[in-house]
Amino acid sequence: MTYLIRRANADDQPSILALVRSERLNPCDLRFSNFMLATTEAGAIGAAQIRRHRDGSRELGSVVVLPAWRGRRVAIRLIDALLADEIGSVFAITGIPRVGPSARWGFQPIDPATAPAPVRFNYRMGRMAGVISVIKGRPVNRLVVLERPPAGGVHPIL
């Protein structure tokens, strides 16, 4: 079965919420207009977004693919589509095992203290969720902040 990558629309909001909640990802700022979806005739199989923070910073997030569709390049195609038009810095918060694969898009680990305030806030919230995971006996996902520098390595003039 094949799938299509496309921009999300207002009708996709319930599917986006269900996908993100299924993986216990950051439930904040889940606006359909920030998302790309992977869909089949049966419905949404994956989603990813670029959060557009008030300070102008961008954060790749909410990358989720249904278990039955993992290993078929769905997440790669979603991220490719999202990053295609991004010329400024893009940040991401991810687990240590995903740092290496993120290099394909130019992401590099940075000191969380150097990230924009909204990204630092999301990083701290993710670390707090890790504490809750320990309390509940779940595995902890050690987090790293990544940055994909702007195209050409120069920050655009805003």
Side-chain angles (χ1 to χ4, degrees):
M1 182 179 271
T2 60
Y3 61 92
L4 172 71
I5 302 293
R6 64 171 176 80
R7 271 257 164 237
N9 61 54
D11 293 338
D12 297 317
Q13 190 69 32
S15 296
I16 290 166
L17 294 175
L19 283 165
V20 170
R21 288 178 179 152
S22 75
E23 292 295 321
R24 285 187 242 132
L25 299 176
N26 180 347
C28 300
D29 202 20
L30 301 177
R31 293 186 194 108
F32 74 87
S33 57
N34 294 339
F35 277 84
M36 285 288 192
L37 282 185
T39 61
T40 67
E41 291 176 5
I45 61 163
Q49 75 164 317
I50 296 281
R51 284 189 186 95
R52 289 158 172 76
H53 296 298
R54 289 183 185 162
D55 67 353
S57 63
R58 305 274 200 251
E59 179 185 352
L60 174 67
S62 308
V63 180
V64 60
V65 176
L66 292 177
W69 285 89
R70 293 179 187 162
R72 299 185 198 188
R73 300 182 50 88
V74 176
I76 290 170
R77 288 190 57 211
L78 285 165
I79 295 168
D80 284 348
L82 282 168
L83 294 177
D85 297 326
E86 292 291 332
I87 58 170
S89 291
V90 177
F91 297 86
I93 301 166
T94 192
I96 289 172
R98 293 185 189 94
V99 170
S102 297
R104 79 182 296 129
W105 296 283
F107 282 101
Q108 302 167 353
I110 64 167
D111 179 348
T114 65
V119 176
R120 286 193 317 265
F121 176 80
N122 287 341
Y123 172 74
R124 286 193 304 271
M125 295 305 289
R127 290 192 55 176
M128 286 175 39
V131 171
I132 293 168
S133 291
V134 168
I135 292 168
K136 291 188 172 188
R138 293 189 209 136
V140 176
N141 187 13
R142 304 261 183 238
L143 299 177
V144 177
V145 177
L146 305 174
E147 179 182 12
R148 177 182 177 237
V154 178
H155 289 273
I157 298 172
L158 301 176

